[in-house]
Amino acid sequence: MRKILFLIVLFPYLSTAQDLKDTLSFEKTYPETTEGIRFTPKQLIVPGVLLAAGIYGTMDKRLDHQVQDRAAQWGGDTFVDDILPIVSPTAVYVLNWCNVRGKHNFVDRTVIIGTAAVLTVGSVYLLKSTTSVTRPDGSGDDSFPSMHTAIAFAGAEFLRQEYEDRSVWYGVAGYTLAAGTGFLRIYNNKHWLSDVLAGAGIGILTTKAAYWLYPEIRKVYAGTKLDHALIIPWGNTRTLGLSLSVVF
């Protein structure tokens, strides 16, 4: 793996206001949190119920068809559901750059969301390849479960975990966007209700699993140069950018 010492991404920016004398910078001044979440059986209840409901729905399609018949009357066709899944995880990074600190620093939260992404995508692909459920619009046999919904709920749980100590509304916002993603997948005739329910359960569960695993994963890089990696937004009158710095 190549070691990236410094990466700068530039965005053109023309300012019509007065010159900015100082560049924008955000330093990692908050303490590192090296704890995940402790596993308790009750954490399995919500994702377990959603996943079980989704699996049951694949065996008894009556509710799926009732919901889809109603959705067909709306004649949905929107691309918003392609964007919503990435809003919550992106918000975690934006909030941190704006000095609204979450639980973990840049490297640690990236490890957590990276682990959640691997678990989410892997689980969904495994189920898609073994179930072969036809999509409502007949465009494929990989309907179950919904990948978009799984990713959206994984991101929502990530946002909730990082900011639940600050305000419950961060989690509410994330889960509202995730629920909207699931609704739009049905609205666009791309998924059954059972696909969406199962996707939601998977997304929540895999992010929780990422937090359970995080303390053990962190031991791999604790005390290494990655422990001090940092992204710093910066800018002046004509450019804005991001700097990735790793001290060797």
Side-chain angles (χ1 to χ4, degrees), residues 47-57:
V49 168
L50 289 170
L51 184 55
I55 293 174
Y56 178 78

Side-chain angles (χ1 to χ4, degrees), residues 25-37:
S25 66
F26 298 87
E27 298 180 0
K28 188 178 70 173
T29 57
Y30 62 105
E32 296 180 2
T33 300
T34 58
E35 297 180 355
I37 57 174

Side-chain angles (χ1 to χ4, degrees), residues 1-237:
M1 182 182 295
R2 294 183 300 175
K3 298 178 180 179
I4 301 177
L5 298 178
F6 200 73
L7 174 64
I8 301 178
V9 181
L10 296 177
F11 300 95
Y13 176 75
L14 298 178
S15 175
T16 58
Q18 63 180 9
D19 290 345
L20 298 176
K21 296 181 179 180
D22 300 322
T23 59
L24 301 174
S25 66
F26 298 87
E27 298 180 0
K28 188 178 70 173
T29 57
Y30 62 105
E32 296 180 2
T33 300
T34 58
E35 297 180 355
I37 57 174
R38 182 169 300 187
F39 170 79
T40 59
K42 69 179 182 180
Q43 295 173 13
L44 300 176
I45 295 176
V46 173
V49 168
L50 289 170
L51 184 55
I55 293 174
Y56 178 78
T58 64
M59 297 182 289
D60 185 348
K61 302 290 289 183
R62 286 177 296 179
L63 182 58
D64 273 352
H65 284 290
Q66 289 175 7
V67 172
Q68 214 62 42
D69 289 344
R70 179 64 61 86
Q73 298 175 8
W74 303 327
D77 183 17
T78 176
F79 64 90
V80 177
D81 50 330
D82 291 328
I83 300 173
L84 290 182
I86 66 172
V87 173
S88 290
T90 301
V92 172
Y93 288 87
V94 172
L95 286 167
N96 275 274
W97 288 334
C98 294
N99 286 323
V100 183
R101 303 302 188 185
K103 288 181 179 177
H104 297 92
N105 64 24
F106 171 75
V107 172
D108 291 349
R109 67 175 174 268
T110 301
V111 168
I112 291 170
I113 191 59
T115 303
V118 170
L119 293 175
T120 301
V121 174
S123 299
V124 171
Y125 270 125
L126 178 63
L127 286 172
K128 282 181 178 292
S129 63
T130 56
T131 55
S132 298
V133 176
T134 303
R135 291 179 181 269
D137 63 356
S139 61
D141 60 355
D142 58 346
S143 189
F144 182 86
S146 167
M147 179 71 81
H148 284 69
T149 307
I151 293 174
F153 275 86
E157 179 64 11
F158 178 53
L159 177 61
R160 187 187 75 83
Q161 289 290 345
E162 288 297 304
Y163 286 96
E164 65 179 351
D165 293 339
R166 285 189 171 271
S167 173
V168 68
W169 292 106
Y170 289 107
V172 171
Y175 272 93
T176 299
L177 292 174
T181 300
F183 169 78
L184 289 177
R185 296 308 286 167
I186 298 173
Y187 177 78
N188 287 335
N189 205 32
K190 291 297 183 182
H191 281 288
W192 306 100
L193 175 63
S194 57
D195 304 336
V196 168
L197 293 175
I202 290 171
I204 297 170
L205 182 60
T206 51
T207 298
K208 287 184 181 295
Y211 277 93
W212 298 333
L213 295 171
Y214 157 69
E216 296 302 316
I217 297 175
R218 195 181 195 284
K219 293 177 181 178
V220 176
Y221 63 88
T224 67
K225 305 302 182 182
L226 283 177
D227 234 355
H228 306 287
L230 174 65
I231 280 190
I232 306 172
W234 61 273
N236 53 33
T237 57

